[in-house]
Amino acid sequence: MTRYDTIRLAGYVPDSDAEWTVPYYTLALPRPQRRLLLDLYRLGLKRPDDCLAVPVGRLNSLLQALAPEVVSVAKWLDVSHDEPWLYARGPVPADVFATLVHAWVNDLRPEPEHRQAVREVLDALRPGELRWERCEVPMLARTPTAAGTAQPDGRLYQLLPDALADLALGLDPFSYPGGSLGFRGVARRPSDRGAELLSWPPDRYVDRDGRTWWFSALLTLTLQTVPFSPEFRVHLRSGVRRWATRTGPNGLYLPPRRAASVYLLANAPWIEDGPESRASARFSVGRLRYDRELRARRWEAGGPDGMLSRLRLRQPFPQPDSLTGDPTRWLAGTRGVTAAVVHSAPMGSHGVKAGLMPGDRVPLTEWFEQALPEGLRRAPDPVRANRWSTVRRPAGQRSGEVLDPDTWETTERRQELAELLAGEPFRAEFLWLTEPIRDAGVQALATLLGLDEEPVRKPSGEAPSPDGETLSWQTPELTVELHLARIGGLADSLVLSPADQRSTSALHAAIADRRAQVVRRLPAASADDRASLALLEIHPKDAYAPRPADPKFALRLGFRDAGQVTQFVVNPRRVPGKPADADTARARKLEACWTDGFRQLGHRAVPAHGLGPAIPADTQYAALWLVKRRRDGPTRRADLVPIAVRVRPGDPVPERITGWDVRTGEWVPYPTLLVRLAESAELPTADDPDEEPPSHDAGGPSGAEDGEASDQDEDRNGPTERHRRIVADAVQEVLFGLRDRPTLLLVHAQNARRLWPWLQDGHIEPDRVRLHGRPAQRLAVQGHGLRLIRVRDSTDTETPQWWGRGSQTSDDGEEERLGIATGLWRPAGHDPRNRVFGSTGEKAGPGTNVSVMASRWAFRSYTREGKTGSTIDTDRPAWNPGLLEIVVAGCLPDDDPELWATLAHRLRQSPGRAPLLALPLPLHLARKATEYVLPTTRDQPTEPEEDDGAVQLCFDLGVIAP
């Protein structure tokens, strides 16, 4: 077995004294003209003073679609500055740019009553007279923060990846056994992050049924910072871009409320700019959307349908119906335009599976590295953080009789549930739709609790469910009672006509009606306020039309009224392989559902850290998670809900996992927290006429990358500022409630940093803490035994892709091996005060059995059971665990930061589960609690299963609304 003592990062850092400049042409807009644009945009806003910058998101989309060579470095234009925000390798012809600006300014305020104001602004702007100026941009410029974190020049978040991508395009095509890949650049907006390279022409894969599927290699470059590091880092992400292929009689299914990206290449410039002009070598990007009001597919208004009508294009965009009716025909080009619609999981299954394994990723990464300029080098390979690895974990079993692992685990689970329920029976409702799910659910519960005997069956005798029955088991530790009944009409769509789906009052009336049905059917809540569990089988979400008619939110509230926490299950439509595979998948799904139901009741095994007395015996773990509920969810109002969870490993089970009730200022049992969080989703009683809908440039002014908002751009009295004050107060209260014991507090960077700005890379300082609006102070002031860890995951490539590097001895000598390695990693060297670590886990899910050398393009040889052969893995899923960054932001002077990073890493290991949790357990519990604040797919978008081949069919049959 290969041991991996190092990992390699697909990341690149500059030398300390390196310099590299790249020429660009820039366009600046003077402050007076910016002010004119801001005044124009403010017209018609209900709160104009809240808007302090000009939104340029729609102009960025227009440039992305029609001028792909232009790079924008801003989403908002600050009227107090006049720095350039548009960059290009060559000047954009004045008439072309004037045409685009003219369309955009008209679109800022398209209402008829503002036409005169638009004309006046255009007359003052004179876009045809704006001039592009050449300048040299220092690509490696950065300044250190007080804590030593490198801060790049803000414009480099777009320009540095763009310049590196341009160098890679100058390389020879990437070669692999049997073929090669040539790459093109792709137009990007600041919100798209970085630069993108796409292999073209696309590759095709013919499956066993003779169907052809199209795909390309994808390389994405982003610029990131690392806390306390004097050098920034460029991350390279390699993957697969799959092109929409499957259609039906009604064409290609476009998911509701989501735009489908379309990559476009034209044989000539989109806008006429002279006889010597050439077509861009980059892909333009437009976005298709289904318009429910028009009942038609159209180019998205923000990208750029509303503006296209004002432009005279040299050649028109493809007609949406033609493109969605036969998307593969456009891959080879039609009428001078090549178009490729990006496949997404809601469109159904795809013959080419997502992701790349190291067998493809490593050669692509090494090919790209040939383009690195002098002064930019691969980041050093991290090594194992093993100072605390020799400490043995304690044995799992308590004492006495030695049991096999499965028996011990089920016995332990029964004992802890009995302790959690204070000796009361474990009672659960299981409302089912289909018999396979019912049978699998009963068997899964029996497996998890070790219920080997046949249950005692008693008819329920309830009128609403005459076919119901109660199954009971008796064990030495626990009595189990499972009430089975058909869910019936509770799982049906809410009574909501398509005409009423936008009406808040109609939606709330439908939810209240379903909620009342639930309460009438269930027994009253227990007098001791102890929550019980309900497992509910519901239809797949695509069966509910219109989309707001999905009953999940109403069921969650209804069962909460009856004092029950809820876990939902959907029967998989199709599992590839033999019927036995479907049974196995169903059994695993139901076991996971029951396990998550136990978690909602407050039962969750806490990993034993195994670090001995180095960790104070009474140390408690806490986590903070911030939930922002959107205005377009079923409550129809925005809200901010801070969630804090506390874990005390040595406490009795009922007090082991608790949550902070922000209203009462007390720690309550975890299931009580969930029930009270559901109360925060109570509905207003009528439409709110004063609510201003979000603008077409949603969001707020932001001058920083990496998801971090610039303080100077924030409205001091706006919603973000109010939310930051709320978070500061909540954090202070939670910290005060944790002062009685040594505490490890965990926070998630991408979740919390916008509303707790001190967590941003540019502000965080070691062993200090700053709550918004208050001065920074030593961490010890908030609690003598307080430690603070910030984690960051691979979202938006903020942590790099990686692979294990090791060696294996064979008859031919020692050879390098690639693989997936579990462990905690630190930078090479011997700095004992290093605070930044990486945590990685093993393969999991559908990629567990896929070879690390699997390839999308090339055949590979294999040996299996003494037989050799060759195979290609285009149709097999590739899944690589992401790298979780662990930053020990605060600890005591005599602490070893690696000790606390090791603890955080081990908190990802849940007893009885092979793959690591995505986050340390306290953060996992806090994030899972958001289901009770955001209980619907509208607030928390999810995608159908990857192999759901029925989506297109349901769309064609009218089961899915367009």
Side-chain angles (χ1 to χ4, degrees), residues 21-39:
T21 60
V22 175
Y24 275 95
Y25 284 83
T26 67
L27 182 77
L29 194 63
R31 275 177 283 181
Q33 287 147 307
R34 295 186 184 210
R35 171 61 64 178
L36 288 174
L37 290 169
L38 179 60
D39 292 342

Side-chain angles (χ1 to χ4, degrees), residues 41 44-48 50 631 688-695:
Y41 180 67
L45 295 181
K46 291 183 178 179
R47 294 183 291 272
D50 287 354
R631 192 180 303 153
D688 184 356
D690 296 326
E691 283 287 342
E692 182 178 338
S695 68

Side-chain angles (χ1 to χ4, degrees), residues 357-637:
M357 296 302 285
D360 277 333
R361 175 171 298 149
V362 173
L364 277 170
T365 302
E366 293 175 346
W367 170 82
F368 168 81
E369 289 173 354
Q370 299 176 66
L372 291 177
E374 186 176 353
L376 199 64
R377 55 186 170 83
R378 186 195 315 118
D381 295 342
V383 299
R384 283 193 179 274
N386 55 11
R387 281 206 296 270
W388 297 93
S389 62
T390 57
V391 180
R392 295 294 180 184
R393 298 172 186 252
Q397 300 183 25
R398 293 179 176 178
S399 62
E401 179 184 8
V402 177
L403 305 175
D404 69 82
D406 290 340
T407 302
W408 172 81
E409 186 178 341
T410 56
T411 303
E412 186 83 357
R413 189 176 289 119
R414 292 197 304 268
Q415 290 172 340
E416 293 194 345
L417 280 173
E419 187 178 347
L420 180 70
L421 299 172
E424 291 292 316
F426 171 75
R427 298 185 176 95
E429 299 278 340
F430 184 8
L431 304 185
W432 52 275
L433 270 170
T434 60
E435 292 183 0
I437 285 289
R438 179 199 62 188
D439 296 341
V442 173
Q443 182 57 50
L445 181 63
T447 299
L448 289 171
L449 296 181
L451 308 175
D452 299 326
E453 304 294 330
E454 282 295 316
V456 176
R457 297 176 180 268
K458 296 180 181 178
S460 68
E462 295 181 10
S465 54
D467 57 341
E469 62 177 339
T470 298
L471 310 184
S472 60
W473 294 265
Q474 186 69 49
T475 72
E477 303 85 7
L478 180 70
T479 298
V480 178
E481 296 179 3
L482 177 63
H483 177 226
L484 296 170
R486 290 185 182 274
I487 193 169
L490 293 183
D492 293 343
S493 296
L494 300 180
V495 181
L496 188 69
S497 68
D500 289 337
Q501 62 179 298
R502 295 184 181 275
S503 168
T504 300
S505 56
L507 175 60
H508 290 174
I511 290 174
D513 180 66
R514 183 60 51 83
R515 192 171 169 178
Q517 293 177 39
V518 173
V519 174
R520 287 196 298 269
R521 179 163 174 177
L522 295 176
S526 62
D528 60 4
D529 199 33
R530 181 183 292 115
S532 58
L533 173 63
L535 178 61
L536 313 176
E537 183 187 1
I538 59 175
H539 298 289
K541 67 178 183 179
D542 297 320
Y544 298 113
R547 298 290 295 201
D550 189 329
K552 190 173 182 181
F553 176 69
L555 293 174
R556 181 85 78 186
L557 293 181
F559 280 86
R560 190 272 297 177
D561 294 339
Q564 295 186 340
V565 294
T566 45
Q567 177 66 30
F568 296 93
V569 60
V570 175
N571 191 21
R573 289 192 181 96
R574 182 177 68 87
V575 177
K578 303 175 182 178
D581 295 334
D583 294 338
T584 300
R586 194 177 293 115
R588 289 177 178 171
K589 175 186 283 286
L590 268 299
E591 287 182 16
C593 287
W594 282 118
T595 300
D596 201 57
F598 297 157
R599 184 267 307 171
Q600 295 183 52
L601 292 175
H603 175 268
R604 194 64 160 81
V606 179
H609 59 68
L611 295 170
I615 301 296
D618 58 346
T619 297
Q620 61 188 353
Y621 318 133
L624 177 72
W625 197 269
L626 305 179
V627 187
K628 288 192 69 176
R629 189 168 59 218
R630 291 170 22 178
R631 192 180 303 153
D632 61 352
T635 64
R636 297 291 166 88
R637 67 179 176 186

Side-chain angles (χ1 to χ4, degrees), residues 28-229:
L29 194 63
R31 275 177 283 181
Q33 287 147 307
R34 295 186 184 210
R35 171 61 64 178
L36 288 174
L37 290 169
L38 179 60
D39 292 342
L40 174 64
Y41 180 67
R42 283 175 166 178
L43 294 177
L45 295 181
K46 291 183 178 179
R47 294 183 291 272
D49 292 340
D50 287 354
C51 183
L52 300 179
V54 183
V56 292
R58 288 165 66 85
L59 176 58
N60 290 339
S61 294
L62 189 67
L63 293 169
Q64 187 185 29
L66 300 178
E69 302 294 344
V70 177
V71 179
S72 173
V73 299
K75 293 177 281 188
W76 294 76
L77 290 185
D78 188 339
V79 297
S80 63
H81 299 81
D82 55 7
E83 292 90 351
W85 96 97
L86 296 179
Y87 290 75
R89 289 306 181 89
V92 178
D95 54 344
V96 172
F97 188 72
T99 300
L100 297 174
V101 171
H102 191 278
W104 169 62
V105 173
N106 274 278
D107 189 69
L108 273 179
R109 285 268 70 97
E111 302 84 0
E113 61 269 26
H114 299 310
R115 287 175 183 168
Q116 181 59 35
V118 169
R119 283 194 291 267
E120 292 174 357
V121 169
L122 285 171
D123 289 342
L125 279 180
R126 299 180 180 178
E129 298 180 8
L130 296 174
R131 292 290 177 263
W132 294 76
E133 298 182 358
R134 190 179 187 276
C135 70
E136 297 285 334
V137 180
M139 287 289 153
L140 306 181
R142 69 268 192 201
T143 56
T145 67
T149 302
Q151 289 297 290
D153 184 338
R155 58 187 173 170
L156 295 184
Y157 284 97
Q158 291 298 116
L159 295 182
L160 178 54
D162 178 75
L164 290 173
D166 194 61
L167 291 179
L169 292 174
L171 297 174
D172 292 333
F174 167 74
S175 297
Y176 63 89
S180 63
L181 301 175
F183 284 84
R184 286 180 179 265
V186 178
R188 303 278 279 181
R189 302 171 299 174
S191 57
D192 295 326
R193 306 181 63 83
E196 186 175 298
L197 295 172
L198 187 76
S199 69
W200 200 262
D203 278 87
R204 69 175 183 173
Y205 168 70
V206 180
D207 63 19
R208 294 183 179 91
D209 298 325
R211 290 177 297 187
T212 300
W213 307 88
W214 299 89
F215 67 105
S216 296
L218 178 69
L219 299 177
T220 304
L221 290 156
T222 59
L223 176 60
Q224 309 290 345
T225 56
V226 180
F228 318 136
S229 171

